[in-house]
């Protein structure tokens, strides 16, 4: 009886596999994964001997005709057979390598509903006997960032579905195998492919297609990621700005800095003005509506990037509503490029490179100081009781030079994960990198590092270095959570889609991506503080230095 049941079960499974109707999304989803896997794994593809874009175009009509799991699987397996034999190799895995495998997952080869046992076996054989020569389509820089090679972009036709799908498949697989933080995304990368496929199939215009690409990059949850393009949406105009900088506090936007006194006076804008609506939409509405269109690792960097989207644009003017103290205002402001029209004002507004506060506290603006200026600076600040390093901007690569004066000894501060091109999808841990030098005469005062959502990438990485100083404290709020070098990937000749290219961690493996640098003392600006023109983070640092709390 049991034997009969087993036979019936096997027959049912076989009939089910061959007769189940499959959707277009299912077929495209699996085809994208197989195409990318073969691109980087199959010895006769990864060596560049096939026109791999053209191969996709050739197989797509057969994929579209396949109406069952069995038929689809046979189409793919027959296609793989045409690529030529794969020789069995004696691959010795790098026993000495320290692998980071949170991104690595080829389980779909066994679990995908559209992949038969025979096809699964063939794909596993390719994995086990994968290409080990010089990569044809991808390579890494000395730092470990990837860059593309030998991709064809000049013939892209945005109105052709095949080309749209090619672009999606190419980008999706780059992220699948070479993005170090794939495991940290809000949505699995597989789900993103399933969700985004209809957008690429059904789009009717070039601009719509580019919006789809932009939404795709946002799914990385990476403040480094974006999709840069120039389209008919700009109508030939250049990006222009409000003459102010703003921050979001409690779902409202507050003017925090005047970029042009002349333009601000002309438009009657003041520091501390609270903007409640932009073009008849509340800031809260805009925060909700833009989630799919603004790249960010965390909420702090999302709001920062959102402010840039709100306060810049290509139209002639912007409608604002808000309040100044208890008075409500409505106004129309003309966009302008103050970087050109009022550049002299901007130059005057640049702060000093370093100075003394209260006669005995050194303050260093890290966005201005250069390496060659560090020795003189440290000589002048050496007798102070504390040095404040303001990292609320992008620094100029001075952290190692400054650390020589701050650290009494050499200390590890960071380690990386870098892609293993011989086994796509796997990453290798680097040895920890060191900061500082052995220095018996190192600085003896307190070190305070100021951070906020503007602290990104090198700023976060440099802060990690400064945290190894003998008496260091970080004060401020959550940083952008996009550490490490950027890999800039071309999608076409004119469009790029960068992302964080190497994994950056503390020596003990603690993550910085998305989390950012966690301050020892958390301080955020308030509306009242801004209105009173206070730098509350800096004031809190001075209080800590003077009172130790």
């Amino acid at each position: 009886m049991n034997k009969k049941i087993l036979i019936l079960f096997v027959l049912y499974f076989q009939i089910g596999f061959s007769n189940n109707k499959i959707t277009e999304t299912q077929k495209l989803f699996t085809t994208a994964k197989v195409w990318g896997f073969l691109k980087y794994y199959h010895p006769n593809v990864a060596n560049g001997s096939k026109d791999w874009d053209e191969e996709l175009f050739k197989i797509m009509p057969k994929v579209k005709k396949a109406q069952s799991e069995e038929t689809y699987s046979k189409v793919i397996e027959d296609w793989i057979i045409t690529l030529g034999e794969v020789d069995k190799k004696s691959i010795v895995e790098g026993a000495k390598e320290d692998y980071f495998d949170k991104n690595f997952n080829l389980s779909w080869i066994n679990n995908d509903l559209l992949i038969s046992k025979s096809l699964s076996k063939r794909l596993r054989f390719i994995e086990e006997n994968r290409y080990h020569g010089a990569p044809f389509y991808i390579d890494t820089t000395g730092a470990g960032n990837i860059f593309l090679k030998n991709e064809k972009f000049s013939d892209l036709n945005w109105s052709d579905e095949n080309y749209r799908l090619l672009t999606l498949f190419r980008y999706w697989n780059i992220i699948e195998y070479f993005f170090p933080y794939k495991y940290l995304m809000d949505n699995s990368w597989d789900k993103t492919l399933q969700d985004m496929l209809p957008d690429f199939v059904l789009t009717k215009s070039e601009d719509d297609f580019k919006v789809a690409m932009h939404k795709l990059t946002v799914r990385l949850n990476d403040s480094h990621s974006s999709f840069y393009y120039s389209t008919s949406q700009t109508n030939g105009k250049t990006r222009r700005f409000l003459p102010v900088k703003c921050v979001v506090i409690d779902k409202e936007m507050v003017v925090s800095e005047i970029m042009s006194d002349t333009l601000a006076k002309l438009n009657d804008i003041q520091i501390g003005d609270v903007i409640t609506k932009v073009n008849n939409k509340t800031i809260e509405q805009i925060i909700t509506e833009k989630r799919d269109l603004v790249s960010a690792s965390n909420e702090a960097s999302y709001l920062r990037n959102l402010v840039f989207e709100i306060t810049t644009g290509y139209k002639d003017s912007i409608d604002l509503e808000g309040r100044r103290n208890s008075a409500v205002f409505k106004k129309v402001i003309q966009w302008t490029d103050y970087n050109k029209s009022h550049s002299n004002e901007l130059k005057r507004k640049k702060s000093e490179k370093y100075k003394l506060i209260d006669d005995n506290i050194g303050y260093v603006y890290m966005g201005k100081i250069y390496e060659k200026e560090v020795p003189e600076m440290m000589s002048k600040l050496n007798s102070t009781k504390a040095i404040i390093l303001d990292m609320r901007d992008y620094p100029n690569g001075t952290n190692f030079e400054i650390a020589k004066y701050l650290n009494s000894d050499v200390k590890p501060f960071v380690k990386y994960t870098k892609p293993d091109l011989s086994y796509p999808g796997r990453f290798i841990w680097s040895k920890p990198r060191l900061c500082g030098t052995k220095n018996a005469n190192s600085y003896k005062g307190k070190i305070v590092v100021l951070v906020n959502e503007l602290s990104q990438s090198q700023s976060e990485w440099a802060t990690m270095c400064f945290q190894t100083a003998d008496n260091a404290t970080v004060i401020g709020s959550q940083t952008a959570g996009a550490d490490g070098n950027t890999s800039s990937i071309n999608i076409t000749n004119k469009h790029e889609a960068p992302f964080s290219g190497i994994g950056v961690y503390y020596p003990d493996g603690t993550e910085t991506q998305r989390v950012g640098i966690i301050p020892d003392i958390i301080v955020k600006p308030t509306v009242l503080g801004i209105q009173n023109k206070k730098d509350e983070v800096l004031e809190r640092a001075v209080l800590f230095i003077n009172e130790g709390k």
Side-chain angles (χ1 to χ4, degrees), residues 252-525:
E252 294 181 322
M253 199 165 71
V254 185
V255 176
S256 58
E257 184 179 352
I258 300 296
M259 303 307 295
S260 166
D261 292 328
T262 304
L263 293 173
K265 185 176 181 180
L266 179 66
N267 291 286
D268 188 24
I269 307 178
Q270 296 180 13
I271 288 177
D273 284 352
V274 177
I275 298 171
T276 55
K277 284 188 177 182
V278 174
N279 294 330
N280 297 316
K281 289 186 178 181
T282 67
I283 301 302
E284 186 173 3
Q285 284 177 309
I286 297 172
I287 290 172
T288 301
E289 291 175 0
K290 293 288 186 178
R291 291 282 177 189
D292 292 342
L293 294 170
V294 177
S295 293
S297 297
N298 53 40
E299 188 68 8
S301 57
Y302 171 69
L303 294 177
R304 176 202 70 185
N305 293 343
L306 181 67
V307 166
F308 179 79
E309 292 294 321
I310 295 173
T311 58
T312 70
Y314 300 99
K315 294 182 179 179
D316 294 329
S317 63
I318 181 173
D319 293 345
L320 299 181
E321 293 183 34
R323 64 180 183 275
R324 180 179 300 160
N325 300 320
S326 58
V328 175
F329 63 77
K330 291 184 179 182
K331 58 184 66 184
V332 178
I333 295 180
Q334 299 298 310
W335 297 105
T336 185
D337 187 354
Y338 56 74
N339 293 284
K340 294 180 180 178
S341 60
H342 293 75
S343 59
N344 289 333
E345 289 185 71
L346 289 176
K347 289 178 182 178
R348 290 197 298 271
K349 288 179 179 294
K350 297 294 184 181
S351 63
E352 301 168 88
K353 295 182 179 182
Y354 59 92
K355 62 183 179 181
L356 285 176
I357 298 175
D358 296 342
D359 296 326
N360 202 25
I361 299 174
Y363 170 86
V364 183
Y365 179 54
M366 294 295 294
K368 291 263 310 186
I369 195 74
Y370 287 91
E371 188 172 308
K372 64 182 180 180
E373 300 166 323
V374 169
E376 180 182 350
M377 177 190 79
M378 290 305 302
S379 175
K380 291 182 178 181
L381 301 181
N382 189 56
S383 61
T384 58
K385 66 179 179 180
I387 295 176
I388 298 172
L389 302 172
D390 195 338
M391 300 293 293
R392 296 173 295 176
D393 202 345
Y394 200 81
N396 294 307
T398 54
N399 57 294
F400 288 126
E401 184 65 23
I402 293 175
K404 292 178 184 178
Y405 296 88
L406 305 184
N407 292 35
S408 61
D409 208 345
V410 180
K411 295 181 182 178
F413 79 101
V414 67
K415 66 178 181 178
Y416 311 115
T417 60
K418 301 179 181 182
D420 180 0
L421 298 188
S422 69
Y423 208 151
R426 301 191 79 175
F427 286 73
I428 302 171
W429 283 109
S430 73
K431 293 180 180 179
R433 189 165 183 181
L434 305 177
C435 183
T437 186
K438 196 169 186 65
N439 180 7
N441 298 315
S442 62
Y443 180 75
K444 305 306 180 186
K446 291 180 179 179
I447 303 299
V448 176
V449 185
L450 307 185
V451 299
N452 66 3
E453 70 279 358
L454 298 175
S455 308
Q456 177 171 317
S457 196
Q458 187 187 144
S459 181
E460 295 174 294
W461 180 77
T463 298
M464 295 168 72
C465 176
F466 292 138
Q467 285 179 302
T468 66
D470 298 339
N471 194 8
T473 302
V474 179
I475 296 178
S477 55
Q478 186 179 37
T479 62
D483 217 337
N485 298 339
T486 303
S487 292
S488 188
I489 301 301
N490 286 93
I491 298 302
T492 75
N493 284 334
K494 296 181 180 179
H495 305 92
E496 293 184 5
F499 54 83
S500 296
I502 59 175
V504 179
Y505 302 79
Y506 284 99
D508 65 357
T510 299
E511 292 160 346
T512 61
Q513 182 72 7
R514 302 204 67 184
V515 179
I517 306 301
I518 300 175
D520 300 297
I521 300 173
I522 296 176
V523 184
K524 297 180 181 180

Side-chain angles (χ1 to χ4, degrees), residues 1-10:
M1 183 69 176
N2 290 338
K3 188 174 182 180
K4 288 182 179 179
I5 292 174
L6 178 61
I7 293 171
L8 287 172
F9 176 79
V10 171

Side-chain angles (χ1 to χ4, degrees), residues 124-141:
R124 282 296 177 195
F125 184 81
I126 293 170
E127 178 198 356
E128 293 164 1
N129 300 278
R130 63 192 173 277
Y131 180 65
H132 266 259
F136 182 77
Y137 290 106
I138 203 142
D139 211 338
T140 57
T141 65

